[in-house]
Structure formats: structure tokens, C-alpha cells
Amino acid sequence: SLPPLHFNNANVDNIKGSAYEVSYQELEVQHKKVFEQKKAEIYNLVSAIKSENETAIEQAKSKVQALKQEENAIRKEAKSYIKKANPNIETKDTDYVFITFVMNHIPKGLIGLLLAVIFSAAMSSIASELNALATTTTIDIYKRSIRQEASDKHYLDASRFFTVMWGVIALIFAMTAQLFDNLIEAVNIVGSLFYGTILGIFLVAFFFKKVKGPAVLVGAIVGEAVVVTTFILSRNGTIDLAYLWLNLIGCAIVIGVSWLIQKLFPTNHG
């Protein structure tokens, strides 16, 4: 079915009755025309792939890409009209794509159930994450390096404090996440900066028993440094690399460097 030109219905309602309503409606007509052409070319591409006709495949791909660029240009122009109608409005609509799908394609009786499942999963994840962060901070940092001798009640109070602290940090991240084009993408980008290193540490612990802690620490530092550097180069356009590859890069470097350090300095890291 035809997707909306703009996924935030509140923005679309805002432009109605303004001086740009007619221009926006004309863009909707163009958008529908481009969508039908793109759908036809996608069918042609599928047929070409099935027939293994390389020439037809390349032609169909080029046409689909050109129509996609035209569609993006129409969406960008639509956002400009929305912005002109109300300069204070937020035109970013990527986070409304999923909501639009839910509201338009899922049976009404299941929408409430889906929302309940989403909220339950979110609250469960948040609770476990805050508890894990507070516990790790209390045991591995506070108790080990700051207050080594204290009562259980003291550490309980400290864990409560760290829970609030991590909650505030999470709120700050949530408030700044609007700077990203897509919230899901933002979460995956931040995760990709650390997941690979963490996975590499676990894999070394499980499968490389002879590799000791100091070697793993060096590997983790080197791996994280390479991941961050690669991410910065990718964002600057120096290299072209999807951020999900950072997981594999970090994991491989942690394992490789840890194993190499252990081999080179078996006495010092034994």
C-alpha cells in the first residue's frame, strides 16, 4: 500500500488551511506517481533476477535508485512546506514509521496488546539494566577501590545512589537522542561501540583459558580504541563502513591482541 508522504499526522494536519496546503497536496500526487513507478520497477527487478538477465538487472536497479532519490527529494520538499507553515515544528518523522504501520495495518484489538507488550519489555529491560549497572558500580568500583570496609547497609545505600545516578544518565541520553535521525539507529550505534569489545572479553574467557586477565585488559583497551577510531573515521567520511561492522571488529581485535600479548609475554601475563 502507498505509504504517507509524511509519517507524522500532526504535522500534516498542521499544514491544512495554511498557504502551503495546495502545494503539499500536489506533492502527494507526485509522491503517489513515483511510488507506483518504483513498485513497477521493483517487479521488473525481481523478474530480471529470476531470469538471471544481468543487463535487465542493472537497468532495473538504476531506475529504482533514481526513483528512490526522486522520492526522497519530494519528502524533503514536503518537510520544507511543513516548516514554512510552522517554523517551530519538528519535521523529523522517522520515529513515526513504526507507529504508522501499527495504526494502519494491525487489527484494532491487537494494538493495545502490542503497546502493553512494548511497555512491559521496556520497563523490564530498564529495571534490569539499572540494577546491573548499580551492582557492578558498587561491587567492582566502589567497594574495591573506594570503601573496602563497610557495613552491608552502607553498600545497600550506595547501590541505591548509583541506581539513581545511572537513571539520571539514562534520562540525559534520552533527552539528547533527538539529535539523531532515528532513535533505534542511535541505540544501535552506541551499542556497537561497546558490544564487540564486551563479546571479545567473554569469548576469550570461555575459549582461551590460557589467556590471563592483564592480556585481556590490553586487548580490550586496544579493541575499544580501534572501534572508536574507526567510528570517527566513518562519520567523517574518511572510510565507508556500516556501524554494525564495529561489533565484529571490536570482538576480533580483543581476541587477537589478547592472544598475541599472552604469547609474547607469557611470564608477565601468566
Side-chain angles (χ1 to χ4, degrees):
S1 60
L2 177 67
L5 177 58
H6 189 78
F7 287 95
N8 189 342
N9 292 330
N11 290 352
V12 177
D13 292 338
N14 183 76
I15 203 173
K16 292 180 180 178
S18 68
Y20 305 99
E21 180 179 6
V22 175
S23 299
Y24 187 86
Q25 291 175 347
E26 291 175 353
L27 286 178
E28 287 183 321
V29 174
Q30 295 179 30
H31 172 248
K32 182 178 181 180
K33 180 180 178 182
V34 171
F35 174 78
E36 295 297 335
Q37 292 176 345
K38 187 175 71 171
K39 184 167 68 172
E41 291 300 333
I42 290 175
Y43 282 128
N44 292 337
L45 176 59
V46 173
S47 299
I49 292 175
K50 289 181 178 180
S51 62
E52 298 182 354
N53 188 333
E54 294 297 332
T55 302
I57 291 174
E58 292 301 322
Q59 291 177 349
K61 282 184 177 180
S62 299
K63 291 180 180 179
V64 170
Q65 292 174 353
L67 290 169
K68 179 62 178 177
Q69 293 177 356
E70 185 176 354
E71 182 184 33
N72 291 338
I74 294 174
R75 290 186 182 278
K76 185 176 181 180
E77 188 175 357
K79 289 182 179 180
S80 69
Y81 285 132
I82 293 174
K83 197 70 175 179
K84 290 177 181 177
N86 186 351
N88 297 322
I89 207 167
E90 175 57 60
T91 59
K92 185 180 67 175
D93 65 334
T94 49
D95 289 328
Y96 292 87
V97 175
F98 178 71
I99 295 297
T100 300
F101 171 79
V102 170
M103 299 301 295
N104 295 338
H105 299 281
I106 293 182
K108 300 297 181 183
L110 295 179
I111 293 178
L113 179 62
L114 177 62
L115 292 177
V117 170
I118 292 174
F119 281 118
S120 297
M123 289 187 291
S124 174
S125 298
I126 292 172
S128 61
E129 289 166 2
L130 292 179
N131 182 62
L133 286 169
T135 302
T136 302
T137 305
T138 303
I139 301 300
D140 293 343
I141 298 177
Y142 183 76
K143 185 177 181 179
R144 177 175 296 181
S145 304
I146 300 176
R147 285 290 298 272
Q148 297 180 356
E149 299 294 337
S151 64
D152 292 340
K153 183 179 184 304
H154 177 82
Y155 292 126
L156 176 61
D157 293 337
S159 67
R160 290 171 176 169
F161 169 78
F162 289 127
T163 301
V164 175
M165 182 192 75
W166 284 112
V168 171
I169 293 175
L171 287 174
I172 293 173
F173 175 79
M175 293 171 63
T176 57
Q178 61 180 337
L179 300 176
F180 295 87
D181 292 334
N182 187 288
L183 183 57
I184 297 176
E185 181 184 24
V187 173
N188 285 325
I189 289 175
V190 174
S192 296
L193 293 174
F194 303 99
Y195 289 161
T197 302
I198 296 173
L199 177 61
I201 293 173
F202 275 96
L203 290 180
V204 171
F206 278 110
F207 299 107
F208 299 87
K209 302 295 185 181
K210 294 183 179 180
V211 179
K212 305 303 179 181
V216 176
L217 177 61
V218 174
I221 294 174
V222 173
E224 191 61 33
V226 172
V227 166
V228 173
T229 303
T230 304
F231 174 72
I232 293 174
L233 293 176
S234 177
R235 298 294 285 187
N236 291 338
T238 306
I239 60 175
D240 184 15
L241 184 71
Y243 61 85
L244 291 177
W245 282 104
L246 298 176
N247 298 285
L248 178 61
I249 293 173
C251 180
I253 290 178
V254 170
I255 295 175
V257 172
S258 300
W259 180 84
L260 182 61
I261 292 295
Q262 187 65 42
K263 283 292 184 181
L264 293 177
F265 306 99
T267 303
N268 295 335
H269 296 275

